[in-house]
Amino acid sequence: MAENIRDFIHFLGIEQENQIKSSVNLGEYFFLIHNLDILYKEALKIKVDKKEHKIPAFLFLNVHRELYLSMTNFLRLHKGKSFCNLRSAIDSTFTAYYLLKNPDKENVYKANIKLGSEEEAEWDAIFRNIKATIKKNITDFPLAKELIEIHEFCSIFEHSDALDVLGRYVEDKEKMTLEANYFDYEETDDSYKKWLIKILFSYFMIFGLFWAEFFKERAPEEISRVINIKAKTYQTKLDELRKRFPVKTNNGT
């Protein structure tokens, strides 16, 4: 439904109302967000002591931040923006993945900080479109395959694709007016939940990549044990819910 937004204050009020209602209406599903956050925070306890691992660690922190933003936007009924946050998180993941496989490219990654850097052309070739770099060399980055497909779906919302825009703005031909949905309302609770599962599954996959490629080999035994147990439990729950709330997107993911 299109709503008449009076002004910015009115918009903020609806956002806060949406966040409260969503948190309540999700019920037990709200804890899927909380439990994934716990996994991420367990990984943050692991010490990173090598210079070449500092930037991948920073990129993991950025993914965690995007998870928070993504869930905040989702609860406020900005599903499209939540997928934009997810896309940014996947970009950070691809960059970290590349640097873990190619630690000698750290200076290239930092090249665009300073204009005129000698590595600027190489940065342009590798990092300007990190998804394309990973996709072109997918045999070197096998854990990224499904994330590439998800990234391409997220781009619908990042680039104002017609599928997103034309579903949000409608024309009243009798009144000769345009009406807008400033919030991403879903027709049913099940529809709302299926998108939550889709997004959380994506962030869980991201966590799995960082765990396999970065954290696992340097995690103390106790933290490793806790993460393995919690990840297995979370995976089982997600698999069950993905069967219950399937999502079929245009690119098949």
Side-chain angles (χ1 to χ4, degrees):
M1 61 182 233
E3 62 273 279
N4 180 24
I5 303 295
R6 296 192 300 271
D7 52 32
F8 181 59
I9 299 301
H10 183 214
F11 176 82
L12 282 179
I14 296 176
E15 276 214 323
Q16 292 173 2
E17 184 179 331
N18 287 340
Q19 184 172 329
I20 293 170
K21 285 182 177 179
S22 295
S23 300
V24 172
N25 291 340
L26 280 175
E28 64 177 309
Y29 294 94
F30 183 84
F31 290 97
L32 291 169
I33 303 171
H34 176 64
N35 290 339
L36 184 57
D37 184 32
I38 288 174
L39 266 177
Y40 271 79
K41 289 192 292 186
E42 283 293 329
L44 291 174
K45 297 176 182 177
I46 300 169
K47 291 182 179 180
V48 177
D49 52 9
K50 290 186 177 180
K51 178 181 177 294
E52 63 267 28
H53 292 153
K54 184 165 64 174
I55 291 178
F58 283 160
L59 288 164
F60 181 76
L61 286 170
N62 195 56
V63 169
H64 190 224
R65 171 180 174 269
E66 294 293 348
L67 170 62
Y68 281 2
L69 291 172
S70 194
M71 289 300 96
T72 300
N73 278 323
F74 189 82
L75 293 173
R76 291 175 178 173
L77 300 189
H78 299 303
K79 180 184 74 182
K81 290 302 178 186
S82 185
F83 277 106
C84 290
N85 295 129
L86 174 57
R87 185 179 184 271
S88 295
I90 296 173
D91 279 332
S92 289
T93 303
F94 288 162
T95 302
Y97 201 4
Y98 187 89
L99 289 173
L100 288 168
K101 297 286 189 182
N102 302 277
D104 58 307
K105 299 299 183 182
E106 178 181 328
N107 285 337
V108 176
Y109 172 68
K110 295 188 289 188
N112 69 327
I113 296 175
K114 184 178 180 181
L115 294 177
S117 169
E118 293 180 3
E119 295 94 352
E120 196 170 358
E122 194 174 0
W123 176 90
D124 196 66
I126 297 172
F127 294 107
R128 180 176 293 279
N129 189 340
I130 187 63
K131 185 207 74 175
T133 299
I134 296 293
K135 188 174 183 178
K136 185 170 62 176
N137 302 282
I138 193 61
T139 54
D140 296 327
F141 306 97
L143 296 181
K145 185 175 180 181
E146 193 167 351
L147 286 173
I148 288 172
E149 297 171 354
I150 295 170
H151 185 284
E152 290 171 351
F153 172 73
C154 291
S155 296
I156 292 171
F157 305 97
E158 184 75 20
H159 299 307
S160 299
D161 190 283
L163 185 63
D164 176 43
V165 173
L166 298 183
R168 187 186 307 279
Y169 300 101
V170 295
E171 180 183 5
D172 187 324
K173 293 184 178 180
E174 291 184 3
K175 297 179 181 178
M176 297 293 290
T177 60
L178 296 177
E179 296 179 344
N181 284 321
Y182 282 72
F183 298 93
D184 297 328
Y185 296 107
E186 296 291 336
E187 293 183 2
T188 66
D189 285 344
D190 281 3
S191 182
Y192 182 66
K193 289 170 184 173
K194 77 179 182 181
W195 290 115
L196 174 67
I197 303 306
K198 173 74 173 178
I199 295 168
L200 289 177
F201 175 71
S202 302
Y203 278 102
F204 182 66
M205 284 184 61
I206 290 171
F207 178 84
L209 190 154
F210 271 98
W211 174 247
E213 293 291 329
F214 187 40
F215 288 116
K216 187 176 182 179
E217 67 180 33
R218 55 186 49 84
E221 184 177 347
E222 179 58 24
I223 292 179
S224 184
R225 186 183 69 83
V226 169
I227 287 178
N228 284 327
I229 291 172
K230 289 183 180 297
K232 185 176 181 180
T233 302
Y234 199 81
Q235 176 79 65
T236 300
K237 186 64 175 177
L238 276 183
D239 288 345
E240 171 196 331
L241 292 174
R242 290 179 74 213
K243 291 177 183 177
R244 184 176 174 185
F245 301 107
V247 174
K248 189 70 174 178
T249 56
N250 281 1
N251 65 350
T253 61

